[in-house]
Amino acid sequence: MIEDSKETKKHTTIKFLIYFLYVMHFFGVIGILSDFRETFLDLTPLTILITFIIIIYSIPNRNKTTIICISTAFVIGFIAEYLGVNYGLIFGKYTYGDNLGPKILGVPPLIGINWAILSYCTATMTSFMKINTFVKAVTGALLMTSIDLFIEPVAPKTDYWYFEAGIAPVQNYFGWFFVSLIVQIVFQRSDFSKNFYVANNVLVVQTLFFVLLNIII
C-alpha cells in the first residue's frame, strides 16, 4: 500500500514536471522574441540540464544497464562533436558559439548531455515497436536525424554553432544518422529502463520549440 502511494506521488510529480517543461519552452520562445533575447538564450544550458534531470528522475529503474546506455550516448556524442569541431570529420566544419555554455576541447559538455537526452527518448519510443532490433535502431536514428533538420537552421541564429559554409552540409545529416545509429544499437540491444510518457513529451516539446523558432526567427 505504501509502495502504491509512493508510485502515485511520483507519477503526479512527473506529470507536473512535464507541464513545467512545456511552460518553460513556451516562455523560452516568447523570451527569444522579446527585448530580453540574449538573457533567455543564456538560459539554454539550464533548460538542457532541467530536461536531463527530469528524464533521470522519471526512469523507473536507474539500474546499471540504463546508466551505461545513457553514459555511452554522452561519450559517443561528445567524441563525435570533438572530431567535427577540431577536424571537420563526421558532420563537417563548424564551431560552437557561447549559448551552450563552457567548452572542453571546443565542445560544450552540454551537447553531450543533449545527445544523451535525444538518444534515450528516441530509443524509448522505438523500443515498443514490434520489429527486430536493428530496424528499431535504424528507426530511432532516422527520428533523431529528422529532429536535427529543425535544429540546424536555428543554431546559428541562436549562437549555438556555426558551419563554415553558413548552412549545415548534407554530410552533417549523414553524420547524425551514422552516430545516432551506433548509439541506438547500444540502447536497443540492452534492456534499459524506459518511461514512454516522459520520452514522448520531451521529444514533442523539443520538436515544437525548434519548429516554432524556424517559423518566427
Side-chain angles (χ1 to χ4, degrees):
M1 199 72 175
I2 295 175
E3 287 298 319
D4 289 343
S5 178
K6 286 182 178 179
E7 285 301 313
T8 300
K9 184 178 180 181
K10 183 173 182 179
H11 181 67
T12 301
T13 302
I14 289 171
K15 288 183 69 174
F16 169 79
L17 291 172
I18 291 299
Y19 292 142
F20 173 74
L21 204 59
Y22 277 96
V23 171
M24 181 173 62
H25 281 80
F26 172 76
F27 280 104
V29 172
I30 299 300
I32 289 171
L33 291 175
S34 73
D35 294 335
F36 302 98
R37 173 188 173 92
E38 294 306 318
T39 301
F40 276 85
L41 287 173
D42 287 342
L43 293 174
T44 299
L46 181 61
T47 302
I48 294 174
L49 281 174
I50 290 174
T51 303
F52 185 65
I53 290 168
I54 290 172
I55 287 173
I56 297 300
Y57 173 75
S58 71
I59 293 174
N61 182 12
R62 290 184 287 277
N63 53 28
K64 183 178 179 181
T65 299
T66 306
I67 299 304
I68 288 174
C69 286
I70 292 173
S71 300
T72 299
F74 172 88
V75 171
I76 290 177
F78 187 88
I79 291 173
E81 299 285 351
Y82 166 78
L83 293 174
V85 166
N86 292 281
Y87 302 102
L89 300 175
I90 303 178
F91 306 114
K93 295 183 179 180
Y94 64 104
T95 55
Y96 276 97
D98 295 325
N99 281 335
L100 289 175
K103 307 177 188 70
I104 298 175
L105 301 174
V107 180
L110 276 173
I111 204 66
I113 291 177
N114 203 53
W115 271 94
I117 290 171
L118 291 176
S119 298
Y120 173 81
C121 291
T122 51
T124 296
M125 296 294 291
T126 54
S127 67
F128 292 94
M129 300 173 69
K130 302 299 182 182
I131 50 180
N132 69 53
T133 300
F134 182 71
V135 179
K136 286 180 184 179
V138 170
T139 305
L142 286 172
L143 184 55
M144 284 191 66
T145 306
S146 298
I147 294 170
D148 187 51
L149 287 170
F150 297 108
I151 298 175
E152 294 298 346
V154 171
K157 298 176 183 178
T158 50
D159 195 30
Y160 291 166
W161 59 81
Y162 304 86
F163 275 94
E164 189 177 85
I167 60 172
V170 175
Q171 175 188 345
N172 170 72
Y173 301 106
F174 281 108
W176 255 76
F177 175 79
F178 174 73
V179 175
S180 299
L181 181 60
I182 294 172
V183 177
Q184 290 293 319
I185 289 172
V186 172
F187 272 96
Q188 298 301 348
R189 290 177 65 87
S190 307
D191 186 23
F192 69 100
S193 186
K194 311 162 187 72
N195 188 314
F196 182 87
Y197 172 75
V198 170
N200 176 57
N201 279 284
V202 168
L203 288 180
V204 169
V205 73
Q206 286 209 357
T207 303
L208 283 174
F209 178 74
F210 285 106
V211 167
L212 286 173
L213 289 186
N214 270 279
I215 295 170
I216 62 183
I217 67 171

